[in-house]
Amino acid sequence: MKQSLFFAKPSHHPPKEEISRSAQLLEQAWYVDKLFAGVYTYLPLGFRVLKKIENIIRQEMNSVGGQELFMPALHPIENYQKTKRDIVDILFHLDLATGKKFVLGFSHEEIIVPLAQRYISSYKDLPLYVYQIQTKFRNELRAKSGIMRSREFIMKDLYSFHATDEDFEEYYSIMQGAYSRIFKAAGVGEKTYLTFASGGTFSKFSHEFQTITDAGEDTIHLCNGCGIAVNDEIIKEQKTCPKCKSARLVAKKSIEVGNIFPLKTKFSDAFGLRFTNAQGVNKPIIMGCYGIGLGRLMGAIVETHCDKKGIIWPANVAPFDLHLLAFGDASVRKNANEAYEFFCKNGIDVLYDNRDVSAGSKMADADLIGIPLRAIISAKTKNLIELKKRSQETTQFLEPEKIITFIKSTHNEN
Ligand code: ATP
Ligand code: MG
């Protein structure tokens, strides 16, 4: 992609009204555009990152048997009256032209449960795992952390249906593993902790995946020995590490990037979702739900991967593999154009800064945008290319072929 025509105009100044670093950087570098508080456009740069995150999640959900579908965002209010969630304060209400009352979905239990009922009748139809990557609407009181807490946001939500508690529990722990792999692949594995949270009235615990960052709105109490944590809301009833019982828990600010939740029979009961077991006994279905906010995760990645100059994307979720910068006269430009064509032909995803702006501006924008590898072609590089990792200060001079081999080897590692 040539930057001269790329739909992005990185600014030299962070937006004044944003507090969190990720909100500042993502807007400043043209990853997202704020339409109003809590509502965002994903611009081409941001959309590329979003798709990478989406694919990491999709791959893991498929690997644990998830079947992808896509449900509507517009929901009849009757479904919420059945679960008594029609009075939830974050629900957006609207009227159809016919006068019928609708809401914008903040979650999809009310849609998936009656749908699953059309399919499940016997134990032979279980277990069932379905998921989607879809837009949710929540009338959040405060939307102050950019795409980490928005009023319209994309969530992966998976719903599991089981015949027995044992079967549910087995799947729940499989999902814990899948979530750990997702957060590791997205580059926040080291800072993300499995956190014990309240399970409401239905079971003792649910679990959140909390990423440590000062921009977080939550506090978790971390057991350094076990690498697991307890949510602030349950620290009064759970004062020690749930695993090793240590009382030396350290409080940290964090953001919830995902959660897994035992629903037991709450929604099955509301809709009468039941099945007949092998003995012919009719029973309610046990359910679990499993969410990840894609924008929330993208914001958390930026919070944990930035410096004073800008973003430093982990390679797996970076918008491009390589940022190619050309400095100099027509002959340098010619070399750079050829290198660009060569990289593209070899399957490297390159953003090529061919704009008519100063070298200083190009470097500042490259640091802000944060593509993991920067390649410079200038009068002094001759037939080589000056390569620098965004995360390091050292540079090296390499042939274009070597750069391709290097990038492909990092692709294969992932
Ligand atoms: P929170 O406690 O942060 O308000 P929640 O517990 O209401 O979130 P869930 O309903 O379980 O969240 O949603 C699943 C996931 O969706 C969360 O783990 C988070 O990653 C994401 N998410 C929730 N609310 C938002 C939001 N307003 N903006 C962006 N992502 C969100
Ligand atoms: Mg929560």
Side-chain angles (χ1 to χ4, degrees), residues 41-228:
T41 296
Y42 283 82
L43 294 162
L45 271 176
F47 196 60
R48 281 171 168 261
V49 177
L50 190 70
K51 289 288 146 187
K52 296 240 172 126
I53 293 174
E54 187 178 305
N55 285 333
I56 290 171
I57 295 173
R58 176 173 290 117
Q59 196 183 332
E60 287 299 338
M61 291 302 102
N62 291 344
S63 83
V64 294
Q67 301 180 51
E68 188 170 4
L69 46 62
F70 189 82
M71 291 181 265
L74 201 54
H75 301 170
I77 196 154
E78 288 84 2
N79 295 40
Y80 289 79
Q81 287 159 346
K82 290 210 170 106
T83 59
K84 302 198 168 52
R85 294 212 290 185
D86 54 321
I87 49 160
V88 165
D89 56 354
I90 53 166
L91 204 52
F92 281 109
H93 294 260
L94 44 108
D95 297 327
L96 284 202
T98 59
K100 226 171 140 35
K101 304 277 181 211
F102 275 72
V103 296
L104 295 178
F106 68 83
S107 190
H108 276 75
E109 286 83 358
E110 279 80 353
I111 308 305
I112 194 63
V113 173
L115 177 57
Q117 203 168 22
R118 288 169 38 87
Y119 175 77
I120 304 167
S121 59
S122 133
Y123 68 96
K124 292 178 187 157
D125 301 323
L126 294 168
L128 174 67
Y129 319 123
V130 288
Y131 77 97
Q132 62 175 347
I133 296 169
Q134 190 265 6
T135 303
K136 306 281 184 260
F137 295 87
R138 294 186 182 182
N139 201 347
E140 301 275 4
L141 200 56
R142 292 170 308 139
K144 65 171 174 69
S145 309
I147 55 170
M148 291 195 293
R149 181 171 300 284
S150 43
R151 298 192 162 102
E152 172 179 338
F153 62 95
I154 300 167
M155 192 201 286
K156 182 286 299 176
D157 43 332
L158 186 145
Y159 303 90
S160 70
F161 301 86
H162 308 264
T164 62
D165 280 323
E166 295 71 42
D167 191 62
F168 162 73
E169 272 157 28
E170 192 186 329
Y171 192 66
Y172 191 77
S173 65
I174 288 172
M175 196 56 100
Q176 273 180 22
Y179 269 44
S180 298
R181 291 193 295 276
I182 288 168
F183 297 124
K184 182 166 181 243
V188 293
E190 277 171 25
K191 292 200 168 162
T192 301
Y193 292 86
L194 178 71
T195 304
F196 286 68
S198 118
T201 48
F202 313 110
S203 71
K204 191 148 189 263
F205 295 120
S206 67
H207 294 84
E208 298 167 345
F209 286 78
Q210 293 271 2
T211 305
I212 306 282
T213 161
D214 284 339
E217 295 175 18
D218 293 350
T219 301
I220 60 168
H221 302 266
L222 184 64
C223 173
N224 276 323
C226 296
I228 57 175

Side-chain angles (χ1 to χ4, degrees), residues 208 210 218 231 233 256 259 296:
E208 298 167 345
Q210 293 271 2
D218 293 350
N231 180 309
E233 287 162 8
E256 177 193 318
N259 73 6
R296 176 76 66 89

